[in-house]
């Protein structure tokens, strides 16, 4: 056991997640960031959440938008996760993207997309928990997701284990 604060990144990294791109059109150009903190929250109403660091320079631009896209990256899109998680100025260079009529930016070829607006924001330590209302969504059957674990991008190795596990 290690004292809290010493090894947070290493131990948080033991929890596998997907990788999303949270993005919108700012002045006609795509702006966005990679986020592994995406969590589906509620079925009725449909809500999802992402935690954003107070140090983010992109989030203050996005949070002013009426609609924000969230793309769940596919396993072949590690380069997109790296690019959107960097501090490069033109993060969408070399990334295939499209915008929806209401201004969401979606990554082409992603495993799933959400078209969202901000419902609520909660200050929590050095991050804000952003709760989004989902207005439209879609997923591509058979497109496997990108996995983030231990600071490394991975794909889903092997097939399902045992029976399907559905929440009640
Ligand atoms: C795989 C991955 C996951 C990330 N997840 C988050 C996240 O959940 N929340 C967050 O605030 N930043 C996250 N980041 C970092 C942001 O993407 C990064 O801070 C941001 O792109 C920096 O630029 P900004 O100042 O424009 O926000 C992640 C980065 C990577 C590579």
């Amino acid at each position: 056991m290690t004292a809290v604060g010493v090894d947070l990144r290493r131990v948080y990294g033991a929890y596998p997640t997907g990788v999303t791109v949270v993005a919108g059109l700012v002045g006609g150009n795509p702006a966005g960031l990679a986020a592994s903190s995406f969590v589906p929250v509620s079925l009725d109403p449909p809500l999802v959440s992402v935690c954003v660091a107070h140090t983010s320079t992109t989030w203050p631009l996005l949070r002013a938008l009426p609609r924000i896209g969230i793309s769940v990256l596919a396993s072949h899109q590690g380069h997109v996760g790296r690019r959107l998680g960097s501090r490069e100025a033109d993060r969408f260079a070399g990334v295939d993207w499209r915008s929806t009529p209401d201004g969401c930016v979606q990554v082409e070829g992603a495993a799933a997309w959400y078209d969202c607006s901000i419902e609520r924001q909660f200050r929590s330590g050095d991050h804000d928990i952003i709760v989004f209302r989902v207005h439209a969504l879609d997923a591509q059957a058979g497109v496997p997701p990108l996995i983030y674990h231990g600071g490394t991008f991975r794909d889903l190795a092997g097939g399902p284990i045992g029976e399907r596990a559905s929440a009640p």
Side-chain angles (χ1 to χ4, degrees), residues 26-148:
V26 176
N29 297 313
L33 69 155
S36 56
S37 55
F38 172 85
V39 175
V41 172
S42 164
L43 292 170
D44 185 15
L47 302 172
V48 299
S49 73
V50 172
C51 297
V52 181
H54 292 160
T55 51
S56 172
T57 55
T58 301
W59 178 246
L61 305 175
L62 296 179
R63 81 174 159 220
L65 301 175
R67 291 291 173 93
I68 296 172
I70 300 178
S71 302
V72 178
L73 294 182
S75 60
H76 66 281
Q77 294 180 316
H79 63 290
V80 179
R82 246 183 301 280
R83 184 103 197 144
L84 269 294
S86 73
R87 297 201 176 268
E88 297 287 330
D90 187 5
R91 263 174 239 169
F92 278 87
V95 174
D96 286 336
W97 62 275
R98 61 172 178 255
S99 59
T100 64
D102 53 18
C104 289
V105 167
Q106 301 178 339
V107 176
E108 292 279 9
W113 302 274
Y114 296 83
D115 174 340
C116 303
S117 60
I118 296 173
E119 179 87 359
R120 301 191 67 176
Q121 305 185 51
F122 303 91
R123 207 172 165 85
S124 298
D126 56 8
H127 281 59
D128 282 349
I129 301 171
I130 317 298
V131 177
F132 295 93
R133 180 173 285 255
V134 177
H135 299 279
L137 73 172
D138 201 4
Q140 292 205 81
V143 173
L146 182 64
I147 305 300
Y148 188 55

